[in-house]
Amino acid sequence: MLDKSRGLSVDCIAYDLEDSVTPGKKAEARLNIRRLLDQPRVEGIREQAVRINAVETGLALDDLTEVLKAGNLDTIVIPKVNSASDLHFVTDVIRHTLPKRHPATAHTASQDPPPIRLLALIESAKALSDLSSICKATPYLSGLIFAAEDFALDMSLTRTPSLTEFLYARSAIATACRAHSLPSTIDLVCTSYKGEAGQKTLEEECVGGKGLGFNGKQLIHPSQVEIAQRAFAPSENEVEFAVRVVIADEKADKQGRGAWSLEGKMIDVPVVGKAKAVVKRAEACGFDVAAMKENWKGQEPE
């Protein structure tokens, strides 16, 4: 199973040491994952992560001690983060274990390899009420992940197809990520994945999550990857319009025009900012943005 995962084409793959591993198999799983992450990188996987056990279990230190030896570990996923202290613990361990990769002074963009990133799973009411402190706990925090099932357990909620019972929590998490400039905002797992009905549910959840401000989703099966990537990527029409806005805005700026129109729509600073973000995301998703810019180089502000 571990070796098979290396054939996937995904943004991030997370190997689990928590719920999917029984207590008696934890040591073996740590060793297996460390050996896997010592192998040369494969082209299809951009980020390799490990979900350790929660700090409160007392198992996190053993997890970190082993997986931090791996040569190609990018990210640590930390479950059940209830307060900033959970992230302080992990930060202290990685700084002690890998001091050159995690210097006391701020790292630079050119640092190679870059510091290990941290992703925090938000799973409880306590965590939700302390998002600001959690987001500011460590310079290595890369984003937040919403763990719906554990949150439902904590709040005595029943998950429904509409997901309305999670609306406040999801909105709060997405907003906190934006407020603290965290790049990754990862939505809840879609537990339905088999057949057309499961794929439709996944697509609807992705669209809904994107509408709330999430830019990614947890997946539990390879069949979910393509649907999620397509849903969270901008559409071709969206990218084309964004490119036109960016090109026309450069000309409008030279003309001293702060607001103008395109196809009958008013274009001002916020719209231009969103267009630039769409173009950047399109480049990351593999769109040929250069060709689009060449095709629309004559676009003028209306």
Side-chain angles (χ1 to χ4, degrees), residues 67-78:
V67 300
L68 288 175
K69 298 175 184 177
N72 293 308
L73 173 66
D74 301 309
T75 303
I76 295 291
V77 181
I78 309 157

Side-chain angles (χ1 to χ4, degrees), residues 134-149:
I134 289 171
C135 288
K136 294 183 289 188
T138 172
Y140 310 125
L141 186 64
S142 179
L144 303 179
I145 306 172
F146 179 47
E149 301 306 321

Side-chain angles (χ1 to χ4, degrees), residues 71-90:
N72 293 308
L73 173 66
D74 301 309
T75 303
I76 295 291
V77 181
I78 309 157
K80 297 178 177 61
V81 173
N82 287 321
S83 67
S85 62
D86 294 322
L87 296 180
H88 293 161
F89 174 85
V90 176

Side-chain angles (χ1 to χ4, degrees), residues 15 32 38 58 61 80-81 144 169 188 196 237 257 282 294:
Y15 298 101
N32 288 339
D38 270 335
L61 181 58
K80 297 178 177 61
V81 173
L144 303 179
L188 75 179
E196 291 184 7
N237 289 339
R257 297 168 61 185
E294 177 63 24

